[in-house]
Amino acid sequence: MIDDLDLGFDEPERGEKGRHRRGFRKGKGKGGSGGGRGKTFLALLMALLLLGGIGGGAFYGFDRIQNYFVTPDYDGSGAGEITVEIKSGALLADMADALVAADVVKSQKAFIEAAEANTRSKNIQPGTYKLRKQMSGASAVTAMLDLKNKIVNGLTIPEGRTSFNIYKLLSEKTKIPVKDFQAAAKDPEGLGVPDWWFKRADGRKSVKSIEGFLFPDTYEIPPKSTAESILKLMVNRFLSVSGEMKFADRVQEERGGVSPYEALIVASLAQAEAGNKDDLGKVARVAYNRAYGEFPCNCLEMDVTVNYYLESIGKPTKSSKQMTEAELNDQKNPYNRKLRGMIPTPINNPGKEALEGAMNPPPGKWLFFVAIDKQGHSEFAETPEQHERNKDKAREAGII
């Protein structure tokens, strides 16, 4: 019977999917919430009298009524130990849901009210925390603000690393075998790369590879992660960064028929070849000019593509001086430096600045470049004669 009783008070407002909203609905009438309080008190009194008459079996109903007036909360700092992951972008309600599910706090409301009462709660970071079971909302907030309780399992992936190198770094950090990362990487779409990313505009066959989509950044690796979940994390970061940049849209609108995938390949070439971040855009321009412009062979003629092939077949990479003629012109190498047009896939995982350089390179007819100082700055040339003069500068500086 208690379910059908109109107690005269309103429930807290909640948005979609239980999202918390500040405040409650005001009581009707001129008196605002004051009239509502009078009705609520009378309704509660009647409910208590009714429940008292029903007897001991009404405790469950009383608990439900009481929850409208008293926030369900545990006392103290809890006991035992449990780990809880707070995902990137989580709202207070999302954090509360995760804590309730792990029985860290008794109710969503207990955590949200404690967080709103603590001005430092906005500093709660995503990550994995060591907490206790059955903590008060206030204790949970305090514990999550203490970085001693945050499990730090961070790993920085530098810009320009190949997927093969990244698997080794991840394996060393997580003790997950390299072969598990290799197996997971065989299905880039399963890791979250949309199918449209692999479309090309140059008529060449699309090769689906995870290369280029493992965004370089510092990652918090959650406990009990798998190779698949870690690579998904990195792909998701790439999609977020490239989406915020509007990389794909701008490439299609501004790069004259070049597909986003081809531009991603160019970003990886710039990341590998530019010795200084100031030159990333110019190197990207050279790559576009060579593959799609007026370069005699319409080929890239970049030794870094040969090194990528060597690494892919398990051989050590080499400097340009160390490469043999057979390696430079291996016809079995799909990344041959004399291959007409753009190579099949990216050759590493470029950072944001390299992506920006490929998306919006400076105008220029450059076809050649060479490093001319120890800081990695390059000189760019439109003709072989200009390039030879720049090479003389590089020799004088002891660079080549």
Side-chain angles (χ1 to χ4, degrees):
M1 293 295 294
I2 190 67
D3 287 338
D4 297 324
L5 182 64
D6 183 1
L7 300 177
F9 49 82
D10 295 324
E11 295 185 27
E13 288 191 27
R14 296 188 182 275
E16 271 189 38
K17 299 182 181 179
R19 289 292 187 273
H20 177 70
R21 289 184 182 173
R22 297 178 185 272
F24 297 85
R25 290 197 297 270
K26 291 184 178 179
K28 298 177 183 177
K30 198 172 182 179
S33 60
R37 283 197 297 270
K39 288 182 180 180
T40 298
F41 179 79
L42 179 60
L44 178 60
L45 182 60
M46 291 174 62
L48 292 175
L49 290 171
L50 176 60
L51 291 171
I54 294 172
F59 280 119
Y60 173 70
F62 174 72
D63 185 61
R64 290 180 62 192
I65 294 169
Q66 185 185 43
N67 285 348
Y68 280 98
F69 303 94
V70 180
T71 299
D73 199 2
Y74 292 124
D75 291 325
S77 57
E81 188 175 286
I82 190 168
T83 58
V84 179
E85 181 187 358
I86 302 300
K87 295 185 177 179
S88 179
L91 305 175
L92 281 180
D94 299 316
M95 297 180 193
D97 288 342
L99 296 172
V100 170
D103 195 27
V104 172
V105 298
K106 192 169 187 178
S107 68
Q108 187 193 60
K109 189 178 177 185
F111 178 78
I112 290 173
E113 288 183 351
E116 290 183 338
N118 189 324
T119 57
R120 293 182 58 238
S121 65
K122 63 180 180 295
N123 296 324
I124 295 177
Q125 303 171 7
T128 303
Y129 292 84
K130 286 188 294 184
L131 300 171
R132 296 174 180 269
K133 285 202 167 191
Q134 301 189 355
M135 307 176 77
S136 69
S139 295
V141 170
T142 300
M144 293 172 74
L145 287 169
D146 186 347
L147 293 181
K148 291 179 182 177
N149 295 317
K150 191 169 185 284
I151 299 173
V152 178
N153 196 22
L155 173 64
T156 298
I157 304 297
E159 292 144 333
R161 296 296 178 97
T162 64
S163 58
F164 319 117
N165 185 268
I166 289 173
Y167 302 153
K168 291 177 184 177
L169 291 175
L170 291 171
S171 182
E172 290 168 3
K173 180 69 176 180
T174 65
K175 308 308 177 187
I176 298 172
V178 167
K179 65 179 182 179
D180 288 8
F181 291 102
Q182 294 171 331
K186 289 180 179 179
D187 183 12
E189 291 173 274
L191 295 175
V193 182
D195 176 70
W196 61 261
W197 258 105
F198 297 107
K199 293 180 180 178
R200 299 182 67 129
D202 60 359
R204 295 196 175 278
K205 182 181 177 181
S206 174
V207 177
K208 295 183 179 181
S209 168
I210 198 62
E211 201 73 73
F213 297 100
L214 301 177
F215 192 76
D217 205 343
T218 298
Y219 293 91
E220 286 288 329
I221 310 296
K224 300 181 181 178
S225 291
T226 63
E228 183 179 7
S229 68
I230 294 170
L231 295 186
K232 280 183 175 179
L233 188 69
M234 299 179 73
V235 169
N236 186 60
R237 181 69 178 136
F238 168 84
L239 295 175
S240 295
V241 172
S242 62
E244 289 168 3
M245 296 170 60
K246 298 186 178 179
F247 180 86
D249 292 337
R250 288 193 59 187
V251 166
Q252 291 179 104
E253 292 169 5
E254 301 171 19
R255 294 279 63 79
V258 173
S259 74
Y261 192 54
E262 293 162 66
L264 179 59
I265 295 172
V266 169
S268 75
L269 292 167
Q271 190 75 75
E273 286 281 9
N276 189 287
K277 67 179 182 179
D278 296 338
D279 293 333
L280 286 165
K282 287 186 175 182
V283 174
R285 174 59 72 186
V286 170
Y288 285 129
N289 290 345
R290 287 186 179 184
Y292 305 123
E294 298 179 3
F295 200 47
C297 65
N298 279 133
C299 59
L300 290 170
E301 277 198 351
M302 294 182 179
D303 296 346
V304 290
T305 65
V306 177
N307 265 331
Y308 181 73
Y309 175 67
L310 291 175
E311 191 173 357
S312 73
I313 60 175
K315 291 186 176 181
T317 58
K318 299 180 176 183
S319 68
S320 297
K321 291 179 180 179
Q322 294 172 323
M323 289 182 184
T324 66
E325 192 65 27
E327 289 168 335
L328 288 170
N329 297 299
D330 183 359
Q331 296 303 307
K332 295 179 181 179
N333 176 6
Y335 297 86
N336 190 304
R337 62 201 292 276
K338 292 289 187 181
L339 178 77
R340 287 186 67 83
M342 197 54 67
I343 54 177
T345 71
I347 60 169
N348 58 46
N349 295 274
K352 186 176 180 180
E353 289 175 317
L355 290 172
E356 288 173 342
M359 177 179 72
N360 186 32
K365 296 181 180 181
W366 308 298
L367 293 172
F368 308 96
F369 61 95
V370 62
I372 50 95
D373 63 31
K374 292 182 180 179
Q375 288 72 46
H377 293 98
S378 292
E379 285 282 1
F380 293 78
E382 296 181 15
T383 68
E385 293 76 21
Q386 290 173 341
H387 184 50
E388 285 302 318
R389 289 196 291 271
N390 291 337
K391 287 168 70 175
D392 288 338
K393 291 181 184 179
R395 292 187 188 97
E396 289 174 11
I399 306 301
I400 60 174

